[in-house]
Amino acid sequence: MGGKSASKIKVETRVDKRIESEESGDEEGKKQAVRLVTDLSQQSLRDEQNGENSAGEAETPVDMETISLDPDAEDVDLNHFRIGKIEGFEVLKKVKTLCLRQNLIKCIENLEQLQTLRELDLYDNQIRKIENLESLVELEILDISFNVLRHIEGLDQLTQLKKLFLVNNKISKIENLSNLQMLQMLELGSNRIRAIENIDTLANLDSLFLGKNKITKLQNLDALTNLTVLSIQNKLTMLDIASNRIKKIENISHLTELQEFWMNDNLVESWSDLDELKGAKNLETVYLERNPLQKDPQYRRKIMLALPTVRQIDATFVRF
């Protein structure tokens, strides 16, 4: 990865948005998510078995005609109202924030006239497809976490989007994000993603969350010159953060499955930083050339002493 302007990338593991949003500075109401569900593994299992939110199936949807909407309201919060269908919202002529989290919604529809909308929250519903959002061209924040999405789609016209939350769905591929060049935060934790791909155009992205997926290789991040926070999962086997301006190896001690560590062409100067890698018992390849560390006459010997499992240092195999 060449030419990064950030001084360092913070590599962490965060499982889902309930934790990620709070720690990553998402102040607009996302902190409240932590109170909703405490046992994620059980919910995920129910979702797998039933194909829907089990709790939602047991509830009867409310009739929207029984809900009074203020036409002048800018912030509308209908959290846990048992709404089954999005309808009747065209009266909201000034709305900027619409929260429909924890309802029984299965389809995104009837929002065409809400062109003043800046934030749409559909967290914890039963939505299967991202659709009918084309007219919401001023939207800056979109949350469709904890639904049953299988694909990232229907976002091409949302060119002003800055934060996108798709945590805990059934998404298997990162795709169809190329038009979202204003995007700053992308949260895709707890999905089925196997590869980091198709994010080259997201030059303004500063926070990327991919915890609890099926990713084993860190790649295709070269174009993300503003990336400062990267959340990944414990099964990572290859970490490549070469050619940055990183001064310190930190926040990676939890990556115990690492086999390859590429950090050449950076600014690392302290040997104690290698302690971060001591938990990786299968670490075989380490690239640290063209760091200040390499000026040490005992460069290779010190790496071997600190990381005895290593079999290759830079481009040269270790001799015994």
Side-chain angles (χ1 to χ4, degrees), residues 18-58:
R18 289 183 173 83
I19 300 171
E20 288 177 353
S21 296
E22 183 172 2
E23 294 187 357
S24 60
D26 180 41
E27 69 285 354
E28 294 114 339
K30 302 295 184 252
K31 292 182 180 180
Q32 301 302 319
V34 74
R35 75 184 190 277
L36 298 179
V37 180
T38 57
D39 193 340
L40 300 180
S41 60
Q42 289 185 10
Q43 172 162 327
S44 297
L45 180 60
R46 290 198 304 269
D47 290 350
E48 289 291 330
Q49 292 173 340
N50 303 330
E52 301 284 353
N53 290 346
S54 304
E57 288 294 291

Side-chain angles (χ1 to χ4, degrees), residues 160-213:
Q160 300 302 307
L161 206 62
K162 295 180 179 179
K163 297 181 180 181
L164 177 60
F165 303 91
L166 299 174
V167 178
N168 207 299
N169 280 282
K170 299 181 179 183
I171 298 167
S172 58
K173 185 177 182 180
I174 304 175
E175 58 186 342
N176 300 319
L177 295 173
S178 59
N179 283 7
L180 308 185
Q181 296 181 23
M182 299 296 290
L183 201 64
Q184 298 172 3
M185 178 183 291
L186 176 59
E187 296 207 21
L188 289 168
S190 300
N191 277 287
R192 301 172 177 178
I193 297 166
R194 294 184 178 274
I196 303 173
E197 58 187 341
N198 302 320
I199 55 175
D200 294 348
T201 63
L202 307 183
N204 287 302
L205 199 68
D206 59 48
S207 301
L208 175 60
F209 301 93
L210 294 167
K212 201 177 179 185
N213 276 284

Side-chain angles (χ1 to χ4, degrees), residues 5-113:
S5 59
S7 60
K8 60 184 177 182
I9 293 179
K10 184 179 181 183
V11 183
E12 301 179 344
T13 50
R14 300 180 190 146
V15 173
D16 63 88
K17 180 177 152 308
R18 289 183 173 83
I19 300 171
E20 288 177 353
S21 296
E22 183 172 2
E23 294 187 357
S24 60
D26 180 41
E27 69 285 354
E28 294 114 339
K30 302 295 184 252
K31 292 182 180 180
Q32 301 302 319
V34 74
R35 75 184 190 277
L36 298 179
V37 180
T38 57
D39 193 340
L40 300 180
S41 60
Q42 289 185 10
Q43 172 162 327
S44 297
L45 180 60
R46 290 198 304 269
D47 290 350
E48 289 291 330
Q49 292 173 340
N50 303 330
E52 301 284 353
N53 290 346
S54 304
E57 288 294 291
E59 294 184 83
T60 302
V62 71
D63 188 339
M64 275 299 298
E65 292 184 358
T66 65
I67 299 176
S68 177
L69 297 173
D70 180 0
D72 294 321
E74 293 188 358
D75 301 306
V76 177
D77 188 346
L78 298 174
N79 178 21
H80 208 144
F81 267 63
R82 292 186 293 113
I83 296 169
K85 184 177 181 179
I86 300 176
E87 58 184 349
F89 290 99
E90 61 274 4
V91 300
L92 301 174
K93 303 300 183 182
K94 301 178 181 180
V95 65
K96 293 183 179 179
T97 301
L98 177 58
C99 176
L100 295 171
R101 63 167 52 203
Q102 276 196 295
N103 282 289
L104 308 175
I105 298 166
K106 295 184 178 182
C107 181
I108 303 174
E109 57 187 338
N110 302 320
L111 295 173
E112 293 81 4
Q113 297 186 39

Side-chain angles (χ1 to χ4, degrees), residues 261-286:
F261 179 67
W262 296 61
M263 201 169 180
N264 50 285
D265 299 280
N266 278 289
L267 303 174
V268 179
E269 57 185 4
S270 175
W271 285 106
S272 63
D273 287 7
L274 295 186
D275 291 346
E276 286 284 312
L277 296 168
K278 288 187 174 179
K281 301 303 182 183
N282 297 313
L283 187 64
E284 295 185 352
T285 302
V286 172

